[in-house]
Amino acid sequence: MNTRPVLETTDLKVAYGGNLALDLPRIAVRERELVGVVGANGAGKSTLVNSLLGWSRGSPKVSGKVLLDGRDISALPPHERVKAGLLLIPEGKLVFTQMSTEENLASTADDAPAGQGRRRYSTDEVYALFPRLYERRHHLGSQLSGGERQMLGIARALRLGPRALLLDEPSIGLAPRLVSTVLETVRSLVDSGLTVLLVEQNVHAAIEVVDRLILLERGRILAEGTASEMRDDPRIAEAYLGAH
Ligand code: ATP
C-alpha cells in the first residue's frame, strides 16, 4: 500500500522580520484524509495557508518544503501549485458575483484529463452533490447566501479536479446550522476520495468531521491527534472552552 502523504510539509519555518510566525516539524495529509488545523487568532493559520500556496504577502522568510505526492513544490509560484492540484477555497468564498451559478461553474470548465489521483466533477455531478445550487443556477453570485457561495466555491474547485483541497476558515460568516451542512459535505467528499486540509478557528465544528486535528499556538504544534483523542485533550478545552 502506498502510504506516502498527498500533502506534506517538512521543517516549515516562516519569519516576518525577526518574528518566527510558524515553526512546524511536519504536517502530513494522507489520501482520503480530512485533517483539521485549528488555533486562536495569531496562531499561524493564515501563514500556513499562504506558505502552502506560495503567497508571500509581507515578504516573509520561508524555509522548509511543501510536497505534493512527494514532489517538492516549494519553489513553484502559486499558479503552478494550483495546476499541480493544490486548490484553495479561500476565506470569503471566491465566486464571481456578476455571473450566475451556472456561469460560475462553466468558467472552470476544462475537458483535459485531470491527472493521476484527480477527478474532475461534471456540472451534473456538482448539482447532484449540491441540489441547492441547481435550484439557484440562474441566480447571480451576488444574490446567493453565504452558505450557497461557500458551496459554489467548493463546487468550482471540484470542477478542476483537486489533488488536495485546502479550506480556509469555511465557517466564517455562516450560521451554525450552515457550518455543519458545509462541513458534513466536505466530510462526504473525503469519504468518496478527496484529500482535504481544513484550516478553521471553529474547533467545535471541525472536530465533528475531521480524522485528525492539529492545534497550533504561536506558530507551533501544541497538540495533535485523532479527533477522538483530541476531543478529550485538556489543551483543547483550555484553548476553547475558557476552562483555565
Ligand atoms: P487569524 O485567525 O487572526 O487570522 P492566524 O492563526 O491566521 O490568525 P497569522 O495571521 O498566520 O495567524 O499570524 C501568525 C503570526 O504572524 C502573528 O503573530 C502575526 O502577527 C504574524 N504575521 C502575520 N502576517 C504578517 C505580516 N505580513 N507581517 C508581519 N507579521 C505577520
Side-chain angles (χ1 to χ4, degrees):
M1 197 177 94
N2 180 11
T3 55
R4 187 176 65 191
V6 172
L7 179 64
E8 185 180 7
T9 67
T10 55
D11 294 319
L12 190 61
K13 288 189 174 67
V14 182
Y16 296 99
N19 175 22
L20 194 58
L22 205 59
D23 184 2
L24 307 175
R26 183 170 184 255
I27 283 186
V29 189
R30 299 188 184 281
E31 185 113 41
R32 290 174 172 238
E33 199 179 29
L34 174 48
V35 174
V37 174
V38 296
N41 288 323
K45 303 183 300 299
S46 306
T47 303
L48 173 63
V49 169
N50 291 345
S51 47
L52 288 171
L53 264 302
W55 289 335
S56 48
R57 218 171 305 144
S59 312
K61 186 168 179 291
V62 183
S63 63
K65 284 183 183 167
V66 178
L67 305 159
L68 190 67
D69 282 319
R71 173 188 173 203
D72 185 358
I73 60 167
S74 318
L76 297 182
H79 69 276
E80 291 288 342
R81 300 189 196 201
V82 171
K83 231 196 238 171
L86 181 57
L87 296 191
L88 170 73
I89 313 286
E91 182 188 323
K93 307 108 199 171
L94 187 71
V95 303
F96 294 115
T97 53
Q98 295 310 313
M99 283 188 190
S100 68
T101 298
E102 210 165 56
E103 289 164 344
N104 263 283
L105 289 172
S107 72
T108 59
D110 188 343
D111 293 334
Q116 210 186 1
R118 298 174 61 180
R119 169 183 170 203
R120 278 191 212 281
Y121 283 64
S122 69
T123 308
D124 286 347
E125 286 173 320
V126 158
Y127 283 146
L129 197 62
F130 299 108
R132 184 74 184 153
L133 291 183
Y134 181 72
E135 289 164 21
R136 302 288 233 161
R137 66 192 181 283
H138 300 308
H139 285 67
L140 293 180
S142 58
Q143 296 170 322
L144 301 178
S145 71
E148 290 162 352
R149 284 188 204 193
Q150 187 65 260
M151 289 174 196
L152 183 53
I154 295 172
R156 294 187 74 232
L158 293 176
R159 296 277 292 115
L160 292 167
R163 178 64 181 134
L165 200 60
L166 200 55
L167 274 150
D168 189 10
E169 305 270 10
S171 76
I172 279 189
L174 293 189
R177 188 177 48 81
L178 273 175
V179 172
S180 315
T181 308
V182 168
L183 292 186
E184 277 159 22
T185 305
V186 172
R187 178 70 249 177
S188 63
L189 286 169
V190 171
D191 292 337
S192 62
L194 205 63
T195 301
V196 174
L197 184 71
L198 165 71
V199 175
E200 195 36 272
Q201 200 169 337
N202 185 339
V203 67
H204 301 296
I207 210 163
E208 295 303 322
V209 296
V210 297
D211 296 302
R212 286 190 299 115
L213 198 68
I214 297 167
L215 172 61
L216 290 188
E217 193 181 79
R218 287 188 211 124
R220 290 189 162 76
I221 297 177
L222 184 66
E224 182 176 8
T226 63
S228 54
E229 285 164 355
M230 294 294 279
R231 200 169 278 129
D232 299 328
D233 193 306
R235 287 167 292 190
I236 291 280
E238 270 168 39
Y240 294 98
L241 302 177
H244 295 290

